[in-house]
Amino acid sequence: MGRWSERLNEVEEVAVPIYEKTIEVDVPVSVAYGQWNKPESYSRFMSGVEHVTELDADHTHWMTGFGGFQREFDVEIVERVPDERIAWRATAGAHHTGSLTFTALGERRSCVDLRLDFEPDGALEVLGTTVGVVGARLQSYLKGFKSYIERHHVVDA
């Protein structure tokens, strides 16, 4: 067991992983941006997010569950540029910062770029990061967002 513990300590000392994911959605940039400003809807398109409580305009409390493990954390919006960018940082619980950048690809199509700097907490998160679970989950969130926003927003022809 000593070797396993030593190996985990080595893994935990690596640099904080940075994830960058992108998806195109068939809605105007204002609609995509607007949906990300509705934290109460996140659980509808983010698998594992049980609910997000909006504490005020810039603070939310998250409850998540993955593989039988539950986690709570708080997030603060640190930058908001309408129809362009949202950036946040965790203030309690999880250790991460992130941003979403929105780019218009025409009147009815947008690109959403997600960037997340995630510091794994404990052996399970280190393992999940190492085998690609975190990156896959982020891509799943974006695919869920695409499906949700395109299904719930109809652009007039």
Side-chain angles (χ1 to χ4, degrees):
M1 180 145 181
R3 287 185 190 155
W4 178 253
S5 296
E6 290 170 13
R7 178 67 183 132
L8 284 177
N9 288 337
E10 289 174 22
V11 172
E12 288 179 322
E13 292 174 9
V14 298
V16 174
I18 298 172
Y19 298 92
E20 294 178 328
K21 303 289 180 183
T22 300
I23 199 158
E24 292 183 10
V25 293
D26 291 327
V27 297
V29 73
S30 62
V31 172
Y33 174 87
Q35 188 63 54
W36 281 104
N37 277 290
K38 298 177 183 175
E40 70 280 358
S41 71
Y42 293 173
S43 63
R44 295 182 187 137
F45 58 85
M46 291 182 173
S47 173
V49 173
E50 294 175 7
H51 71 274
V52 179
T53 304
E54 192 170 8
L55 304 174
D56 62 37
D58 292 327
H59 297 88
T60 53
H61 180 77
W62 293 60
M63 291 191 68
T64 62
F66 302 104
F69 295 96
Q70 290 196 309
R71 187 168 201 188
E72 293 186 48
F73 56 94
D74 294 328
V75 169
E76 175 185 28
I77 301 296
V78 294
E79 180 183 17
R80 192 178 271 131
V81 179
D83 296 345
E84 290 182 26
R85 181 174 159 82
I86 301 170
W88 67 89
R89 68 180 181 93
T91 58
H95 301 284
H96 72 274
T97 61
S99 65
L100 290 158
T101 303
F102 304 86
T103 306
L105 301 176
E107 285 185 34
R108 299 180 179 160
R109 189 159 178 80
S110 328
C111 181
V112 179
D113 293 303
L114 168 66
R115 179 187 167 107
L116 184 77
D117 299 6
F118 174 74
E119 184 178 334
D121 182 27
L124 188 60
E125 286 186 3
V126 169
L127 180 61
T129 299
T130 303
V131 300
V133 171
V134 175
R137 175 136 334 253
L138 294 174
Q139 193 64 48
S140 169
Y141 288 167
L142 288 179
K143 287 180 180 178
F145 173 73
K146 176 180 176 63
S147 176
Y148 180 82
I149 195 76
E150 289 176 358
R151 199 173 56 243
H152 287 88
H153 178 78
V154 178
V155 178
D156 297 329

